[in-house]
Amino acid sequence: MAREGLRTLVVAKKRLSQDQYDDFERRYNKAKLSVNDRAGQMRQVQLTLEGDMKLLCVTGVEDQLQPGVRTSLELLSNAGISVWMLTGDKLETATNIAVSSCLVQRTTPIFTFNPVETRMETHNELNNFRKQNGNALVIQGDSIMTCLEHYEQEFVNLAMISPAVVVCRCSPTQKAAIVHLIKKHSNKPVAAIGDGGNDVSMIQAADLGVGIVGKEGKQASLAADFSINQFSYIGRLLLWHGRNSYNRCASLSQYIFHRGLILSIIQAIFIALFHFVSIALYPGEMLLGYTAVFTAFPAFLIVLDVDVESKLAMMYPELYKELQKGRAMSPKTFLMWILVSIYQGSVIMFLGLLLFQEDFIHVVSITFTVLIITELLMVILTIETWHWLMAIAQVLSLAVYGGFIVFLPEYFDPNFLLSPDFLLKFIALTAASCLPLFIMKYLRTKFAPPIYAKLQQSE
């Protein structure tokens, strides 16, 4: 019945005399009060009763897979995500479920790790597994803990290169320990998915916990970071929403850093040009408006940006592999944003002073206006697709800044800002600040487009 994928249960009974029960109760209470290996001693006492029992019946419950489990596991595999199955089922049942769910391909050989208790037995089994290159691994929870006790690094290295790992007879504590093990040795984020109360410790130990609302209750979903109704939703959760979350966080965080750094560059250059006198170029009201009003709406709408349509993300899960390389946010991209900030801040300050030598009294309004427009253009440069809210935010930011100019004449001269000479030099200064970056993005998209851009063009 276990080979058919059924969850089996053997029901038996044993009649005890009063003396036998009193002796068992005495030894069991003594084991419960033990300080060392309490669980093991309690289990040994229980085993003394599990003999000479009368078999009553054997039950087999069919645990059907939810719709879409096979396709979801295939999606995760094609996306470069390694999947380990941790279950409390018997070895035969766990193996059958792994094959029927396509976690282990039918053509993939399976290496069943024999139960081990000693260091020598563990060494021999690891050597046997090492010889079976390319085999899926099926191991029991107690055996994996023995491996971790004696040969932790060797076991992890072998398991990581295995096409699939199935851990059966796994307790909740062992599930959590395995999650910690993978986090420790892989240095990669780990997601744990479960649907029962015995999965709570595993879910809480992972970097990302996903709980499935099922017939076993809502303990897993309540303890998780995300809750879904079916396992088939995990593909869209990771490949689409996870992709967008990563890209948006990377773009927004780096843009916010750039927005603050370019202001510091302008201030530093201004102080250096005037003998390092500690004078603020912009008053507090302008700095507050710069961060909280004039550039805030478009900046935070970067979280609505998408680089690829959802149907393409689900159709080509291989796109997810590009995210795993960390190119959206890396030391290289961080350095690029620093260089862009230094370049734009230098252009705005040096070229602004050069073009407006005769109007130095308006240096604050000149550089600040160019700075605002530059930051709004940088949002356009950062996003991949336009959203109607982004267009409204851009127009609204310009309108608010226009009102700021009108109602604060002590900082701005409207007549000067509307003069043809200012507008011409303003356009030239803004173009020098932003146009090279737009040209570089166009050339990169034209001659070295990312994979998702090629797919969108082919569609």
Side-chain angles (χ1 to χ4, degrees), residues 290-303:
Y290 171 74
T291 55
V293 181
F294 306 139
T295 61
F297 304 126
F300 287 106
L301 285 178
I302 293 177
V303 299

Side-chain angles (χ1 to χ4, degrees), residues 151-175:
Y151 297 100
E152 178 177 314
Q153 188 64 52
E154 291 81 354
F155 172 78
V156 172
N157 292 339
L158 292 174
M160 288 294 182
I161 61 176
S162 177
V165 178
V166 178
V167 184
C168 57
R169 288 300 187 191
C170 195
S171 67
T173 304
Q174 291 171 345
K175 291 181 179 180

Side-chain angles (χ1 to χ4, degrees), residues 6 11 36 72 83 94 153 160 216 234 240 242 244 257 310 340 397 424 428 443 446 450:
L6 302 179
V11 182
N36 299 321
S72 298
V83 180
Q153 188 64 52
M160 288 294 182
E216 297 187 25
I234 193 66
W240 171 240
N244 290 337
F257 172 79
S310 60
V340 168
S397 297
L424 182 62
L443 294 176
K446 184 70 174 178

Side-chain angles (χ1 to χ4, degrees), residues 11 33 39 70 128 143 156 177 200 216 269 278 291 313 330:
V11 182
L33 298 176
R70 296 179 180 88
N128 293 334
S143 297
V156 172
V200 171
E216 297 187 25
I269 294 175
S278 57
T291 55
S330 64

